[in-house]
Amino acid sequence: METICFQKIEGGDGHNMGIDDAINYEDLRKLAKHRLPKIAFDFIEGGVEDEVGLDRNQQAFRDTPLVPRYMRNIDGVDKKTELFGHTYDGPFGVSPTGLIGLFRPGGDLMLAAAARNANIPFVMSGSANCTVEELGETAPEHGWFQLYAARDNTVSEDMIRRAEAVGLSTLVVTVDVPVHSNRERNTRNGFTRPLKMSLETRLDALSHPSWMMGYLRQGMPMIKNWLPYAKDGATADDVANLVTAQVTAPLTWDNIARYRDLWPRNLVIKGIMHVDDAVKAAEVGVDGIVVSNHGARQLDRSPASLEVLPGIVAAVGDRLTVMLDSGVQRGSDIVTALCLGAKFVFTGRATLYGLTAGGKPGAAKAIGILNNEVDLVMAQMGAANIAALGEEFIYKPLPRNY
């Protein structure tokens, strides 16, 4: 079992800050940045090309003011949310984030356990460093499985059967990776296939001893779910090369229909950004979609998820469950998405920063911060429960000639 190091860093006001002192997303981000070498932190932080999409995701939330309603009974704000027949203690869950083991060895299962303890869903990445079988043991009622479709259909279909065999409730098919994206931070850092790390990058890694100890113990983490499909005796690099070659599959609606036939439980498509695709998803018979631009890590000129959400909700909100991720940093972001029609919200970087900074306690800290912020925002707005949230809380400026 890994020893968790609760390191201190200099906070913005000059005091020493550890995981217990963190009060928001930015504090967790600073702690994670302090722990990680640049090559690893940039993998989490970065977008693609000019990274305008990162700013656009945030700006979309900033440009959507919430209007409070006062003189309402808000004693005991209730965040409980029913999703696919399960009642969760909050309206948000943990998005799939890959290569977690590079940032915190064993981190996938730490995040899964933190989500289970908080009674929220955790979506295990298709490039996780644990197996779907381990997820089934750790968080059988809260673990969802993300499928990156493989060029070899037998691989995808076997992964689906494995997720069903361990009793997971929800399969999330990510559709927004038709090609590998141009993540320029990774290229500059040498985080490519194969790795091309410079002397400067290696020296920077040595200056982060807490992270380096974990890396020296395990090396580059294995993408374990793919190991059964690699050659005998495959190394972590061999498996990573296999994943790189396989995950840019020519995914079509025929594949989704096939997955629908194979998967008897909740089927979700992640990465929907166009109304017509949302309508097609409803026609194919999926149970839900996640409106997502992949955290601005695929197409830099994509609109923000929040910008396209209302149109998608209007088109299919009565036919399937519409959820959202990308750009979610605050409880107010979660509430904003719910007011615009999302039934549930997912966040990736917030919980990943918490995990990186403090292991399982850090992941729990991140979830707790978001829970507290949602409570406060709902109370301030005059919304006693999730069902009360709606467009009445979204500020819409009157026409100038009103």
Side-chain angles (χ1 to χ4, degrees):
M1 182 178 294
E2 183 192 13
T3 300
I4 302 300
C5 297
F6 294 96
Q7 56 196 338
K8 297 277 188 177
I9 67 170
E10 285 297 313
D13 59 358
H15 77 284
N16 288 331
M17 182 172 66
I19 194 68
D20 291 338
D21 304 308
I23 63 172
N24 61 23
Y25 173 98
E26 184 59 24
D27 287 346
L28 296 173
R29 177 185 170 277
K30 288 177 181 177
L31 285 164
K33 185 175 184 179
H34 183 72
R35 182 176 188 272
L36 294 178
K38 186 175 188 297
I39 188 173
F41 181 76
D42 278 359
F43 183 85
I44 303 174
E45 177 100 330
V48 293
E49 296 179 348
D50 299 315
E51 298 190 342
V52 298
L54 293 174
D55 292 334
R56 184 161 187 156
N57 277 345
Q58 281 302 293
Q59 197 60 47
F61 285 108
R62 296 188 192 105
D63 289 345
T64 311
L66 296 171
V67 181
R69 300 294 307 276
Y70 296 123
M71 282 76 70
R72 292 184 171 187
N73 184 358
I74 55 166
D75 285 341
V77 169
D78 184 4
K79 300 192 306 298
K80 291 187 183 299
T81 304
E82 185 172 333
L83 182 66
F84 300 137
H86 187 110
T87 300
Y88 294 105
D89 283 350
F92 68 93
V94 181
S95 292
T97 47
L99 288 183
I100 290 177
L102 180 63
F103 319 121
R104 178 68 73 172
D108 293 280
L109 297 181
M110 292 180 190
L111 257 183
R116 177 200 64 209
N117 293 345
N119 189 26
I120 63 173
F122 164 78
V123 187
M124 188 179 76
S125 170
S127 55
N129 303 124
C130 70
T131 65
V132 68
E133 289 79 12
E134 290 172 311
L135 178 63
E137 293 176 0
T138 300
E141 296 183 0
H142 297 83
W144 298 9
F145 177 61
Q146 178 202 36
L147 177 72
Y148 278 127
R151 288 182 176 274
D152 183 346
N153 290 328
T154 62
V155 171
S156 299
E157 293 179 5
D158 188 60
M159 285 190 180
I160 291 171
R161 294 187 183 98
R162 288 168 60 192
E164 180 187 0
V166 298
L168 301 186
S169 69
T170 305
L171 178 70
V172 180
V173 182
T174 289
V175 298
D176 55 4
V177 189
V179 295
H180 296 294
S181 59
N182 184 22
R183 299 180 186 177
E184 294 181 359
R185 288 204 208 193
N186 292 352
T187 301
R188 294 186 196 284
N189 290 331
F191 201 153
T192 57
R193 302 299 313 158
L195 290 172
K196 299 177 182 178
M197 291 187 289
S198 66
L199 177 60
E200 180 183 3
T201 297
R202 295 173 189 272
L203 291 174
D204 177 56
L206 290 172
S207 70
H208 294 78
S210 176
W211 176 85
M212 196 68 191
M213 285 188 295
Y215 183 79
L216 289 174
R217 280 197 298 266
Q218 72 163 8
M220 197 67 179
M222 176 76 74
I223 304 176
K224 289 186 178 180
N225 274 320
W226 290 79
L227 182 58
Y229 316 112
K231 63 185 180 182
D232 289 343
T235 65
D237 279 345
D238 293 332
V239 175
N241 288 335
L242 172 66
V243 174
T244 299
Q246 285 283 334
V247 298
T248 53
L251 192 64
T252 69
W253 288 108
D254 289 339
N255 295 105
I256 301 299
R258 172 62 177 158
Y259 302 156
R260 176 71 287 176
D261 289 340
L262 284 172
W263 182 254
R265 301 171 190 144
N266 309 313
L267 180 62
V268 172
I269 297 179
K270 180 177 179 293
I272 296 292
M273 290 290 288
H274 196 286
V275 168
D276 291 350
D277 290 339
V279 171
K280 183 65 176 178
E283 292 172 351
V284 171
V286 305
D287 300 288
I289 59 175
V290 181
V291 179
S292 169
N293 65 14
H294 211 103
R297 292 164 69 82
Q298 284 300 116
L299 178 64
D300 198 29
R301 297 305 175 92
S302 169
S305 301
L306 194 73
E307 291 177 301
V308 302
L309 175 66
I312 289 175
V313 169
V316 299
D318 59 343
R319 301 170 65 184
L320 47 70
T321 299
V322 179
M323 297 164 280
L324 176 138
D325 86 352
S326 299
V328 176
Q329 297 182 358
R330 285 278 194 179
S332 53
D333 298 337
I334 294 168
V335 172
T336 299
L338 296 173
C339 286
L340 288 176
K343 298 302 182 185
F344 211 77
V345 179
F346 288 88
T347 181
R349 289 184 177 94
T351 47
L352 190 52
Y353 287 144
L355 172 80
T356 299
K360 184 180 171 183
K365 180 74 170 183
I367 293 169
I369 287 171
L370 289 170
N371 264 322
N372 184 58
E373 289 180 348
V374 171
D375 276 336
L376 292 174
V377 171
M378 287 179 62
Q380 182 65 43
M381 288 168 50
N385 52 54
I386 296 297
L389 298 175
E391 286 199 30
E392 70 162 305
F393 293 106
I394 301 295
Y395 172 67
K396 297 178 181 178
L398 295 170
R400 293 194 175 199
N401 61 353
Y402 180 79

